[in-house]
Amino acid sequence: MDKYEKVLWLISFLIVFQMMTGFYLSQVRIPLKYFLYIHIFTGILIFLISIVLIKISGNTRLKRLSYVNMFLILFTGVIGLGFILLKLRFYDIYMPYIHFLIAIGIISNYAVMLGISRTLN
């Protein structure tokens, strides 16, 4: 396993951790504040690692998937920012599903990237 695959595994673990903290935040009526901070910090870390993956990917398909993931992470972060800034009932009811589905798409893209990188080596 090379360095690129290790980074893909790391970011996949971080996304699963991110989804677990997000699930906690969505299920508890008054969540603990530090879980929100952990969720935000992990999202920023995932975004930064996705930028690093753009730089270290050698294949053009992997580079394109890295760009797609970076924009999906950014879009998911904007949706997440709406939970903090907007206090609309409609937003709080429907947007968590979209937020979660995009997160599933992000982790599946990283799984595809791991498969592509393994077939290239």
Side-chain angles (χ1 to χ4, degrees), residues 25 33 37 48 82 89 97 100 106 108 115-118 120:
L25 291 170
K33 282 272 194 204
Y37 299 142
L48 294 175
R89 180 109 173 109
Y97 298 109
F100 181 69
I106 293 168
S108 66
I116 290 171
S117 70
R118 289 214 170 159
L120 292 175

Side-chain angles (χ1 to χ4, degrees), residues 8 36-37 39 56 78 92:
L8 287 173
L36 178 63
Y37 299 142
H39 193 69
I56 65 173
V78 170
D92 288 340

Side-chain angles (χ1 to χ4, degrees), residues 23-83:
F23 181 75
Y24 167 78
L25 291 170
S26 68
Q27 296 300 309
V28 177
R29 186 174 178 91
I30 302 173
L32 299 172
K33 282 272 194 204
Y34 67 89
F35 271 100
L36 178 63
Y37 299 142
I38 290 171
H39 193 69
I40 292 169
F41 175 75
T42 309
I44 292 170
L45 186 63
I46 290 169
F47 180 72
L48 294 175
I49 293 173
S50 71
I51 292 172
V52 169
L53 279 173
I54 292 171
K55 300 292 183 190
I56 65 173
S57 62
N59 190 349
T60 56
R61 283 189 292 174
L62 292 174
K63 195 175 286 268
R64 269 187 267 140
L65 277 172
S66 295
Y67 276 115
V68 168
N69 283 338
M70 184 190 70
F71 288 119
L72 284 175
I73 292 167
L74 189 65
F75 182 63
T76 307
V78 170
I79 291 174
L81 190 62
F83 291 120

Side-chain angles (χ1 to χ4, degrees), residues 2-33:
D2 62 348
K3 181 173 60 169
Y4 187 75
E5 289 181 13
K6 288 179 183 178
V7 174
L8 287 173
W9 278 108
L10 171 71
I11 201 165
S12 298
F13 167 75
L14 286 173
I15 292 171
V16 169
F17 180 73
Q18 177 82 341
M19 291 168 75
M20 289 179 359
T21 58
F23 181 75
Y24 167 78
L25 291 170
S26 68
Q27 296 300 309
V28 177
R29 186 174 178 91
I30 302 173
L32 299 172
K33 282 272 194 204

